[in-house]
Amino acid sequence: MIINHTSPNPINQIDRLQAPFFGSLFFSSNVYQMSQCDVTVYSIEVDDNFVTPFDLEPTEEEIQDVIERFEHLDLDEELVFEQITEEEPEFIDGELSWFIQGLQGRIARRMGFLGCESIDEQGTVYIIDMTNRVELLKGSK
């Protein structure tokens, strides 16, 4: 299967510290654009090596990281776990939602999967932690 990521800017490196997804990119089996500008389409050929949010196993450390980063939201462990493992979690805060989606990609990678298969406003998406994997991207205009 070939999945695609579109970007208005060339991707030369992936920064684990860059918000909002902290190293994760979103891919789809369809090519789509979120803006009216020219984009580069990046493709990856993948096997079916994805986990769903329901099957993610966040660690205590990962859950605590979310609670600490978003302490102003007064989150608890149970709510954070639910946010990570729900396909369409309750909307609490935009930045939290983006961080959780990026975290889903990182947890999937830690668990031995290429990424996390989820759903967003575009339909099925594949969230892949691309930190130190930029060489997998094959781009074209």
Side-chain angles (χ1 to χ4, degrees):
M1 167 172 69
I2 294 178
I3 56 176
N4 307 284
H5 172 79
T6 57
S7 176
N9 303 308
I11 299 174
N12 299 313
Q13 67 177 4
I14 307 292
D15 185 353
R16 171 64 53 98
L17 301 177
Q18 185 177 348
F21 302 110
F22 297 88
S24 290
L25 295 180
F26 287 65
F27 294 81
S28 171
S29 56
N30 301 313
V31 175
Y32 65 88
Q33 307 185 203
M34 301 292 280
S35 64
Q36 296 295 347
C37 63
D38 288 337
V39 297
T40 300
V41 177
Y42 292 95
S43 300
I44 299 177
E45 189 166 344
V46 298
D47 295 326
D48 190 22
N49 187 18
F50 293 92
V51 64
T52 65
F54 179 75
D55 292 317
L56 291 173
E57 298 172 358
T59 65
E60 182 67 28
E61 184 177 289
E62 290 162 335
I63 291 171
Q64 287 303 316
D65 182 39
V66 174
I67 291 171
E68 290 170 15
R69 282 178 187 267
F70 296 92
E71 64 184 346
H72 63 283
L73 296 177
D74 196 31
L75 304 170
D76 63 37
E77 290 181 9
E78 183 177 334
L79 179 60
V80 171
F81 180 85
E82 289 172 2
Q83 292 290 302
I84 294 169
T85 59
E86 290 292 321
E87 197 164 71
E88 296 184 63
E90 171 189 350
F91 181 80
I92 297 172
D93 175 82
E95 287 185 37
L96 172 64
S97 296
W98 294 331
F99 185 81
I100 292 288
Q101 289 175 310
L103 183 58
Q104 289 173 328
R106 292 189 302 280
I107 292 171
R109 182 176 183 175
R110 177 183 49 74
M111 291 175 60
F113 294 92
L114 179 59
C116 180
E117 180 179 336
S118 192
I119 295 175
D120 75 359
E121 67 277 1
Q122 302 297 324
T124 300
V125 293
Y126 303 92
I127 308 168
I128 302 175
D129 177 4
M130 293 299 295
T131 306
N132 298 322
R133 291 177 162 171
V134 75
E135 73 282 353
L136 295 177
L137 296 174
K138 295 173 178 61
S140 64
K141 287 253 180 196

